[in-house]
Amino acid sequence: MDARQRLIETTRELLHERGYVGTSPRAVQERAGVGQGSMYHHFAGKADLARTALERTAALERERAEALLGDASVPPADRVVAYLRRERDALRGCPVGRHTQDPDVLADDGLRSPVEQTFAWLRQRIAGLLAQAQQEGSLRAEADPAAVAAAVAAVVQGGYVLARAAASPEPAAAAADGAVAMLEALRTPPRAPHRA
């Protein structure tokens, strides 16, 4: 890994562990084993480095989600279930969602943007799959794909919060189970074979 990549990866780790204020340029340089001159050669300053690190974190999380949501061999609603059931480190918190609790990230549009865009993408991606399931007749027509997608995203993020508050992954798993039950309730009953 070159110096630029080490700086980005180290900043990603520190932002997740300490937040924006706790991620000092000196801490980044020490952990990455990179000098101050190299850091400022690649980045204009702390905010530029943090924005790049947050963009990388957001891109990785979208890739992880898309690996499940984009699997065309699986029916659309089942892909959403797979996303809900994906293994997560609930006690560590969401690599993207944790930044919504950092006032310094929220106060800076450049830092907040990757977080906002990731959740907008996720809701849109899930809503598209649910709309596809409706078109295929496997999801009830009265279900609002955008509202259900927002609920799915909220359950996952809320699961992290509940797990961290309880110091146990169990509440996150229970929240995912509840969301899966909600989706199952929205499925259409299997159609009986047509008889002539």
Side-chain angles (χ1 to χ4, degrees), residues 13-182:
E13 293 167 8
L14 289 171
L15 285 171
H16 192 87
E17 293 168 14
R18 304 178 183 181
Y20 184 76
V21 169
T23 301
S24 69
R26 183 174 182 160
V28 171
Q29 293 161 23
E30 287 177 0
R31 189 180 286 191
V34 172
Q36 182 177 359
S38 181
M39 179 174 164
Y40 289 103
H41 170 73
H42 294 292
F43 300 97
K46 176 181 173 178
D48 183 35
L49 175 56
R51 179 187 47 76
T52 303
L54 287 171
E55 287 171 350
R56 178 71 179 137
T57 295
L60 289 171
E61 285 305 298
R62 286 193 302 270
E63 287 173 18
R64 287 187 71 207
E66 185 60 23
L68 296 169
L69 299 174
D71 185 353
S73 69
V74 176
D78 290 343
R79 293 185 232 172
V80 178
V81 170
Y83 172 75
L84 281 162
R85 296 235 188 259
R86 183 182 89 188
E87 188 173 325
R88 293 174 171 85
D89 186 350
L91 295 179
R92 189 155 192 261
C94 175
V96 175
R98 280 190 59 127
H99 299 294
T100 63
Q101 298 173 36
D102 188 328
D104 296 289
V105 170
L106 297 181
D108 183 315
D109 287 345
L111 297 175
R112 184 180 52 80
S113 181
V115 177
E116 177 187 15
Q117 290 173 5
T118 298
F119 288 124
W121 171 84
L122 180 64
R123 291 191 314 271
Q124 183 178 29
R125 187 71 175 93
I126 292 172
L129 288 172
L130 297 174
Q132 184 182 343
Q134 282 179 322
Q135 291 167 359
E136 294 174 359
S138 62
L139 196 70
R140 291 181 0 209
E142 65 270 21
D144 178 346
V148 175
V152 167
V155 163
V156 171
Q157 291 306 307
Y160 283 116
V161 172
L162 295 174
R164 287 173 62 84
S168 166
E170 293 306 318
D177 289 344
V180 169
M182 173 189 71

